[in-house]
Amino acid sequence: MPDDIHLNSRTFVLPGEVEKVLDLSAARLAVVRDNLEMALREKRVEFEKYVKEEKKGFDAFRLREVRDILTLEDLKEKVDTVNTIYETLENCSKEAKAINIDEQLLQIDVSNFQTLAAIIEKMDPVEKLWKTAYEFEKNHETWMFGPFMDLNADTIKEEVESMAKIIHKLTRQLSANPNAKRAAEQMRVKIDKFKVFLPLLDCICRQGLEQRHWELISGKLGKPCNPVMYPSLKEMIDIDVMRIQAELEEISNAAGKEFELNNQLIQMQNEWKDIRFEIMQYRDSDTHILSALDDIQTLLDDQVMKSQAMGRSPFIAALGTKADDWENKLVMMQDILDAWTSVQSTWMYLEPIFSSEDIMRQMPVEGRNFKSVDKIWRRIMKHTVQDPSVIAATDYPDMLPIFKKAIQELDGVQKGLNTYLEQKRLFFARFFFLSNDELLEILSETKDPLRVQPHLKKCFEGIEMLTFEDNMMISAMISAEQEEVALIRKIDPNSANGLVELWLKDVETTMLESIHEQMKLAWDNYYKTPRINWVLNWPGQVVQSISCMAWTYEVEYAIETNDLSNYLEKCNGQISELVSLVRTDLSSGERIAIEALIVLDVHDKDVVKYMLDERVSTLTEFDWISQLRYYWKINDENMEYVCVSMVVTDVKYGMEYLGNVPRLIVTPLTDRCYR
C-alpha cells in the first residue's frame, strides 16, 4: 500500500532528522545556560556587595562605645537592634543558600560567602551579651523589688547560674572587642553581686515557712520580721537579715522538712480517697463478702512503713498529733483487716454447716454462738455495701473489738464442732475415713439417708450403695461391680431419730452377720449341689471363701487317706468345668467370680501337686501347715466362725463384705502369687 511504502521510507530518514533536532536543542540549551550563569554571577556579585555594605553597619554597632551605666531602656534598645541585625542576617543566609543551590544545579563552583560567615561569627557573642544583660536586668527588678513570696528560689538560682556561665564565657570571646568586653565585665560583676543574695532568697522563699517560723527569725534578728512588713528581697537585705544567715538557714531547712512531711502525710491520706473494697454476693444469700484484698493490703503495709519512718524524723513534732493519729489509724485498719479476713474465712466455713436445722438441733450452744456472730457479720457487711470506701468501712464503731470477740466465739464454735465430730467418730470408727466436710454433709442432712450414699465407699470397702425400699428401709448392699447381697434383716434409718451413726452402726453389724449367714448357708449347700451350679448361686466373696474351706477339708482327707493323686485329678476336673462355664453366656458379675475362682483353683491344684511330689503323708508336716487354710470352728460361746490358719497362726475371718473382686492368694513355698 502507498502508506506502508511511505512509512518504510520515513524509517530510514528519521534518525538524521532526530540528530538535527537534538543539535538544535543543545545549542538552545547552551545559550540558556550561559545566560543563567551570567545572571547568577551578577546576582552573586550584587549580594556580596550588599553584605559588605551591611557589614560596615554591623561592625559599627558591634564596636560602638558602651556607657558605663546602661539602663533597662538602653539594654532594650540594644536587644531590638540585635534582633533587627539578626533578621537581616537570616535573610542574607537564606539568599546565600538559594545562590548555592543554583550553583549546584548549574554545576559551577559553590561560593562560601566568607564575609557573611565572619559577620555571623562575630555577632553571635554580641547577641548573647545584650540579650543576657537585658534578661538579667529585667528579672533583677522583679527579684529584688517584687514580693519574694511569689518567687521560686530554685528556678531563679538555675537562671542566674546559667547567665553567669554565659557572661564568663563571653568575657573571653570578646577580648578583641574592648567596648563589648567592658560591658560583659560590668554584667559579670552585677550577676556575682546578686549571687551573694541567692542563699538568703532560698531561705525566705522556702515552702513551709509559717508565722511561728517568722517569729523565730524575728527573735534571732532582734526585730519583727515577716513577709507582710518586708515583702521584697531588697527590704530584707536592708534590715540586715543576712547577719543571721546561719540561723535563718537552720529555721528555713526545718520549715522545708516539716512542709515535706506534711505534704507526704496529705498525699498518703489522699491515696485512700478512691480505694474501695471489692464486694461480692455470698452464694445466693442476702449478705456479701470481701474479695481481692491483695492491693489494699499491699498499700496498707507500704503506708504503715512510711508512717513509721516519718515518726522517726526529728521534724515530725511540728505536725502535732496528725502524724501519730494517721499512723494509729493505719495500724488500726491493718488489725481490722486481719481480723476481718479471719472472721470471714471462718464464717464462710461454718455458715453452710449451721444453716442445717439438724446441726442446730444437735449443737444448740454452738449454734446460738454462731448465729450471734452471723447477725453481727451481716450488719457490718450491710454497712460496708452502703459505703465500700475502705476509710469509711473501717470507721464502723468498735469494729476491732467486735471482730476480736467474734474470732473468740468462732474459735469456740469450731472447737465444739471438732469435739462433736470426734464423738461421732469414736462411736462409729469408720467415720475416721471421712473428711470433716464429708462427715458434716452427712450429719447436716439426717432426714435424708440417701445423702449418705456417696460416702459409703469410704466407710465400707465393698459397699458402693445400699438398696432403699419405698419406705426407706434398707434391704441389701451393692458392690461396685453391681453385685447385690441381701441383708439378714432390714434396717430402718428412721428409727435412729436422725443419728446417722446409729443406723450406720446397724448396717455394719448387719453386714457382718449377713456375710456370716451367707457363708454358713453356702457351706451347707456346697455338697448338696453340683459345684458347677453352686458357684453361680452365691456372692463372689462367699464362693471364694467356701471353696478355700472345702479345698482345705478335702486335701486333709486326701492326705489322711493317702489319696492325693486322685484328688489332683479331681482338681483338674473342676478347673476344666469352670473353664467351660466361663465360655458360656454369663453376667458380668458371674464372669468376674468364675475367673477369680479359676485362678484360685489353679493355685490349689499346684499346691496339691507340690505336696504329692514332696510325699506329704501327715497333717502336721510343714509343707501342709504352711499353706493358707480355712476352717469352720466354734468359740467358747458356742458360736461358729471362720478361721484362717497358716502354720501355728489362727486368724478369725472378719466377715467384712469386700464385693465381687479377686483376692490375693500367696503360696509361701512355691513363691508364686495369683491375682
Side-chain angles (χ1 to χ4, degrees), residues 81-91 120 123-124 127:
T81 303
V82 168
N83 289 337
T84 302
I85 291 173
Y86 260 83
E87 185 177 350
T88 302
L89 290 175
E90 185 176 354
N91 293 332
I120 294 174
M123 282 301 300
D124 183 63
E127 180 219 16

Side-chain angles (χ1 to χ4, degrees), residues 82-303:
V82 168
N83 289 337
T84 302
I85 291 173
Y86 260 83
E87 185 177 350
T88 302
L89 290 175
E90 185 176 354
N91 293 332
C92 290
S93 297
K94 291 180 180 179
E95 182 68 20
K97 187 178 294 185
I99 292 173
N100 290 150
I101 292 174
D102 290 342
E103 289 173 338
Q104 291 174 356
L105 291 174
L106 293 173
Q107 297 180 349
I108 62 177
D109 295 337
V110 178
S111 304
N112 52 20
F113 301 110
Q114 294 182 356
T115 303
L116 178 61
I119 294 174
I120 294 174
E121 182 181 358
K122 291 179 179 180
M123 282 301 300
D124 183 63
V126 175
E127 180 219 16
K128 289 182 179 179
L129 170 63
W130 297 123
K131 286 190 174 181
T132 303
Y134 173 70
E135 195 69 24
F136 176 77
E137 288 292 345
K138 183 181 66 173
N139 291 334
H140 184 267
E141 293 291 323
T142 304
W143 296 339
M144 288 295 292
F145 303 102
F148 64 80
M149 295 298 290
D150 299 334
L151 302 179
N152 187 320
D154 293 334
T155 303
I156 294 173
K157 183 177 180 181
E158 290 178 4
E159 292 179 4
V160 172
E161 292 291 345
S162 176
M163 292 177 183
K165 289 179 181 179
I166 293 173
I167 294 298
H168 180 72
K169 185 177 180 181
L170 290 176
T171 56
R172 296 196 304 271
Q173 292 178 342
L174 295 171
S175 57
N177 187 346
N179 293 327
K181 181 179 180 181
R182 184 159 54 87
E185 290 288 352
Q186 293 175 0
M187 188 54 57
R188 184 179 63 81
V189 172
K190 287 185 178 181
I191 292 176
D192 290 343
K193 184 178 179 180
F194 182 76
K195 286 173 66 176
V196 176
F197 305 124
L198 287 178
L200 173 61
L201 186 64
D202 181 60
C203 291
I204 62 178
C205 292
R206 187 71 56 87
Q207 286 183 312
L209 280 172
E210 298 179 358
Q211 182 60 34
R212 56 187 177 86
H213 298 112
W214 286 109
E215 291 175 358
L216 291 174
I217 295 172
S218 299
K220 299 292 183 181
L221 186 62
K223 63 173 68 176
C225 177
N226 58 60
V228 177
M229 299 176 63
Y230 308 103
S232 67
L233 175 61
K234 181 65 169 63
E235 291 174 306
M236 284 289 179
I237 295 172
D238 291 342
I239 63 173
D240 199 16
V241 173
M242 292 192 69
R243 66 182 173 84
I244 60 166
Q245 182 70 33
E247 294 87 348
L248 182 61
E249 287 181 358
E250 182 179 351
I251 295 172
S252 178
N253 289 336
K257 296 293 184 182
E258 294 166 7
F259 181 76
E260 290 176 4
L261 289 174
N262 188 59
N263 279 353
Q264 188 176 357
L265 182 62
I266 294 173
Q267 182 181 359
M268 291 168 61
Q269 293 172 343
N270 290 337
E271 286 183 12
W272 287 100
K273 288 184 178 180
D274 298 326
I275 304 298
R276 299 177 178 274
F277 282 121
E278 289 190 25
I279 302 173
M280 58 183 296
Q281 187 175 6
Y282 177 69
R283 296 183 177 176
D284 295 329
S285 65
D286 58 348
T287 190
H288 298 75
I289 58 174
L290 302 181
S291 65
L293 295 173
D294 292 344
D295 292 342
I296 295 176
Q297 189 67 58
T298 300
L299 178 61
L300 194 55
D301 293 342
D302 180 60
Q303 288 208 2

